Amino acid sequence: MDQIKYPIGQFQPKNNLSNDEIINLIKQIPELIKRLNTLLIGLEQYPLETPYRPNGWTVSQVIHHLADNDMNAYLRFKRGLTENNPLANTYREDLWG
């Protein structure tokens, strides 16, 4: 079940990244977008609406979650830098998905 639930493995946080490692990770963001576009171009609606695992999200939901998550992280970070007492709002990913 772990291979289905975590097809690329469970998240392993990296602590104490160097500046070069951080810059390298930031440079990977545009590449991810290009790779997703390449994978998704030409897919019919059916595969996009198919869960990638039993009782899991569809491909469309996973792709939209990536954008939602990044947008929320950006806005939280922005608020943290620009407000005196920022609130980090949450949302129910399960309901939004």
Side-chain angles (χ1 to χ4, degrees), residues 45-93:
Q45 192 64 27
Y46 173 74
L48 292 173
E49 298 307 322
T50 303
Y52 77 99
R53 65 179 173 141
N55 301 313
W57 283 0
T58 66
V59 173
S60 290
Q61 288 172 312
V62 171
I63 297 301
H64 284 96
H65 172 68
L66 291 172
D68 289 338
N69 187 61
D70 289 353
M71 194 168 26
N72 275 293
Y74 172 80
L75 293 172
R76 287 177 183 155
F77 190 72
K78 180 180 174 183
R79 291 182 77 181
L81 292 175
T82 60
E83 296 179 15
N84 290 329
N85 295 305
L87 297 175
N89 296 329
T90 62
Y91 67 99
R92 293 278 311 269
E93 293 173 1

